[in-house]
Amino acid sequence: MDQNDIVVPRKIRSGLYILLVIASPVVGYLAISQPDIIGPNEVALWAALTTAIALIARLNLTPPSK
């Protein structure tokens, strides 16, 4: 898989990154203070989504110049 396989528009990527920055602390806080709202399954799902978004970020890097 290389960066030509997945092309995500800049505005969508930007929105996903902003979502990560804002929602990650909220998920962590709720997992600790309100375990009946966000339990281990939801935290695992959030970790998987975060991994997918990080992969999108990695695939959209500018290739090194030759």
Side-chain angles (χ1 to χ4, degrees):
M1 184 181 300
D2 65 11
Q3 78 184 95
N4 295 324
D5 292 341
I6 299 175
V7 178
V8 180
R10 179 178 168 82
K11 287 185 178 183
I12 292 175
R13 285 184 286 128
S14 179
L16 290 172
Y17 305 150
I18 291 169
L19 174 72
L20 276 181
V21 169
I22 293 171
S24 292
V26 173
V27 169
Y29 173 77
L30 290 176
I32 293 170
S33 67
Q34 303 291 326
D36 53 325
I37 295 175
I38 295 186
N41 293 337
E42 290 80 14
V43 172
L45 176 61
W46 184 253
L49 290 172
T50 301
T51 303
I53 294 170
L55 178 62
I56 290 171
R58 169 60 185 101
L59 291 174
N60 282 288
L61 289 177
T62 304
S65 59
K66 294 181 180 181

